[in-house]
């Protein structure tokens, strides 16, 4: 049944408005595939649905960049998406560098981004907007086409270049002088989980910050959403250092009731790794953001309500603002069931739709979702 055949209830469910969010709403202009998008309201936990290529992941990238105040998340996004371009180093040798022009909406791959092109990310209702633009290259640049990026936030400006960050991403490249960054606001914590399961390095980093705390127990409880009380304990073993020519990378082991020896977490499947990673990321995102791309990956449909209940409760306790994306109706249904049972947590479902040449955000209340499920209306 087409969506327009059934009128949606515009009355919002009776939920408290969370006034302690870094982004109560989200305005994005000029960023990648988004020319101009306003999401009028974000929740403590916001699930973003929509077709492939509509811009869901772009929104998560925008939030990461906003939280980092531009740098180094701009570099991270370009490296992750393999947005690279050829340039020359100081000796005139060819090399690949991040292509900052790829960040701007409507950019022509055969031309430079116009100097008046601007990316804006932040909240519409206040001055907390991050502005990004490319300036002319500085004098005595190591390369003729080295981009100089200006980031402005709350009247403060910071400048940096691709070459300031090259050693981090491309070891061995010569580093130019750092550009001045005066009185720029501190970044906000923002952890990110991609469509794939968490890697051992990030898992170990998260685990080390929660070991021997209540959060360690909560991460174990996340596994119990699948395996019940059969899961007793989890531990990280191994070392990040080489010793006597040997290297034992960190990995997670799980103690299962009735078994003599612990088993690798990875032997329990992607769903277990996904749940464990989300629980650890929530513990490491206190007072900040957590963004999750394709949140349903690896999670069986019957586990979805428990997953979202865990996410919403922990986000509320830790003051974490969560934004996640999905393609799955089971994920939407599980999110809805969890939101309806937790009156203290403001959960929002947003669906991105084509609107002419652009996109728009459609907000669904819990009553809307109930009607959608009853009449088979597509909201993914």
């Amino acid at each position: 049944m087409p969506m327009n055949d059934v009128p949606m209830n515009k009355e919002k469910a009776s939920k408290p408005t969370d006034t302690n969010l870094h982004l109560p709403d989200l305005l994005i202009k000029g960023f990648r595939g988004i020319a101009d998008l306003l999401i009028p309201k974000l929740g403590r936990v916001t699930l973003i649905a929509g077709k492939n290529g509509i811009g869901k992941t772009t929104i998560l990238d925008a939030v990461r960049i906003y939280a980092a105040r531009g740098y180094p998340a701009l570099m991270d996004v370009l490296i992750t998406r393999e947005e690279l371009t050829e340039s020359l180093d100081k000796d005139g040798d060819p090399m690949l560098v991040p292509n900052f022009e790829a960040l701007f909406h409507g950019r022509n791959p055969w031309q430079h981004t116009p100097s008046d092109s601007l990316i804006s990310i932040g909240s519409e209702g206040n001055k907390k907007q991050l502005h990004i633009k490319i300036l002319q290259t500085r004098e005595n640049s190591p390369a003729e086409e080295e981009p100089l990026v200006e980031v402005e936030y709350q009247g403060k400006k910071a400048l940096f270049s691709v070459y300031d960050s090259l050693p981090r991403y491309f070891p061995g490249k010569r580093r130019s002088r750092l550009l001045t960054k005066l009185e720029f606001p501190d970044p906000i914590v923002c952890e990110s989980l991609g469509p794939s399961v968490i890697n051992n390095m990030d898992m170990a980093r998260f685990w080390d910050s929660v070991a021997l705390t209540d959060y360690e127990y909560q991460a174990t409880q996340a596994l119990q959403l699948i395996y019940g009380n059969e899961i007793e304990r989890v531990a990280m073993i191994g070392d990040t250092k080489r010793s006597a020519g040997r290297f034992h990378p960190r990995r997670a082991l799980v103690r299962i009731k009735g078994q003599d020896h612990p088993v690798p977490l990875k032997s329990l499947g992607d769903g277990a790794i996904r749940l464990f990673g989300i629980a650890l990321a929530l513990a490491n995102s206190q007072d900040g953001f957590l963004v999750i791309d394709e949140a349903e990956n690896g999670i069986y449909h019957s586990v979805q309500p428990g997953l979202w209940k865990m996410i919403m409760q922990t986000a509320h306790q830790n003051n974490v603002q969560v934004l996640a994306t999905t393609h799955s109706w089971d994920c939407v249904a599980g999110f809805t069931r969890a939101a309806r049972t937790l009156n203290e947590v403001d959960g929002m479902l947003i669906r991105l739709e084509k609107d002419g040449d652009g996109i728009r955000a459609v907000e669904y209340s819990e009553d809307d979702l109930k009607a959608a499920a009853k009449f088979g209306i597509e909201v993914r």
Side-chain angles (χ1 to χ4, degrees):
M1 177 180 296
M3 186 177 305
N4 292 335
D5 287 354
V6 178
M8 290 286 102
N9 178 11
K10 297 306 177 185
E11 294 296 326
K12 303 298 181 290
S14 178
K15 285 290 183 78
T17 298
D18 197 330
T19 59
N20 195 31
L21 300 178
H22 292 294
L23 284 173
D25 58 86
L26 179 59
L27 177 66
I28 302 174
K29 291 186 176 183
F31 179 58
R32 296 180 71 84
I34 298 178
D36 191 343
L37 174 66
L38 173 64
I39 302 178
K41 181 182 177 183
L42 297 178
R44 170 61 61 188
V45 180
T46 302
L47 182 62
I48 303 169
K51 295 181 179 179
N52 287 333
I54 195 71
K56 301 186 298 297
T57 302
T58 300
I59 291 175
L60 301 189
D61 286 343
V63 171
R64 289 176 57 200
I65 290 169
Y66 174 83
R69 307 304 186 221
Y71 173 87
L74 284 167
M75 295 286 291
D76 292 335
V77 167
L78 291 170
I79 299 300
T80 300
R81 309 297 175 215
E82 297 185 354
E83 294 278 8
L84 307 173
T85 187
E86 290 188 359
S87 186
L88 300 176
D89 63 16
K90 186 176 181 181
D91 299 322
D93 296 323
M95 67 178 191
L96 288 176
V97 297
N99 181 14
F100 275 84
E101 294 175 358
L103 296 171
F104 291 81
H105 178 75
R107 51 103 182 192
N108 186 327
W110 306 109
Q111 297 177 358
H112 292 301
T113 299
S115 59
D116 60 349
S117 294
L118 183 70
I119 294 171
S120 296
I121 305 170
S123 176
E124 182 193 38
N126 54 41
K127 297 180 180 179
K128 293 183 178 180
Q129 289 189 18
L130 189 78
H131 302 293
I132 304 166
K133 61 182 178 180
I134 295 181
L135 304 180
Q136 294 180 349
T137 56
R138 68 183 184 220
E139 295 180 359
N140 301 320
S141 169
E144 294 181 359
E145 299 182 356
E146 177 189 4
L148 183 62
V149 180
E150 178 186 273
V151 181
E152 181 179 355
Y153 183 76
Q154 292 186 317
K156 306 295 184 181
K157 295 183 179 180
L159 301 177
F160 66 93
S161 77
V162 171
Y163 291 85
D164 294 330
S165 300
L166 282 181
R168 174 180 175 183
Y169 298 96
F170 304 98
K173 295 299 180 183
R174 186 172 180 177
R175 182 174 185 153
S176 67
R177 65 180 178 87
L178 286 172
L179 300 178
T180 304
K181 188 174 183 181
L182 297 174
E183 299 180 3
F184 205 62
D186 291 333
I188 303 169
V189 172
C190 183
E191 296 294 349
S192 174
L193 296 176
S196 57
V197 296
I198 187 172
N199 60 52
N200 283 349
M201 183 180 298
D202 285 336
M203 190 186 300
R205 174 172 64 89
F206 287 159
W207 177 263
D208 288 344
S209 71
V210 304
L212 303 180
T213 71
D214 291 341
Y215 295 122
E216 177 182 328
Y217 175 66
Q218 290 180 6
T220 303
Q221 282 186 311
L223 293 178
Q224 293 173 353
L225 291 172
I226 298 178
Y227 295 98
N229 293 329
E230 296 299 308
I231 302 295
E232 294 183 334
R233 291 188 60 191
V234 182
M236 295 293 300
I237 66 167
D239 197 348
T240 57
K241 298 179 180 180
R242 293 183 181 273
S243 177
R246 297 181 180 180
F247 179 52
H248 302 282
R250 303 284 298 279
R251 60 194 181 103
L253 294 183
V254 180
R255 177 78 177 182
I256 299 178
K257 184 182 296 185
Q259 295 196 15
D260 294 334
H261 302 286
V263 301
L265 174 63
K266 287 190 174 181
S267 71
L268 301 182
D270 286 355
I273 303 171
R274 187 72 158 170
L275 287 168
F276 192 64
I278 289 174
L280 289 178
L282 281 164
N284 281 266
S285 304
Q286 188 166 2
D287 298 322
F289 291 101
L290 171 61
V291 298
I292 309 172
D293 203 6
E294 298 183 21
E296 73 278 6
N297 281 2
I299 309 297
Y300 192 62
H301 68 87
S302 63
V303 180
Q304 292 286 345
L307 166 67
W308 286 110
K309 186 175 181 180
M310 182 268 288
I311 290 175
M312 291 177 184
Q313 288 177 325
T314 309
H316 178 70
Q317 295 166 3
N318 291 1
N319 189 32
V320 181
Q321 187 170 4
V322 179
L323 290 92
T325 69
T326 187
H327 298 111
S328 165
W329 170 251
D330 290 331
C331 184
V332 171
F335 177 90
T336 304
R337 286 180 58 185
R340 292 181 69 88
T341 62
L342 297 173
N343 289 327
E344 73 277 12
V345 183
D346 191 8
M348 297 291 301
L349 174 69
I350 303 295
R351 183 177 189 268
L352 300 183
E353 296 181 347
K354 282 287 187 181
D355 185 19
D357 293 334
I359 58 175
R360 66 187 179 108
V362 180
E363 175 187 334
Y364 287 84
S365 71
E366 290 175 3
D367 287 340
D368 292 339
L369 292 172
K370 186 176 181 180
K374 179 178 179 180
F375 293 103
I377 302 170
E378 178 65 74
V379 298
R380 287 178 294 173

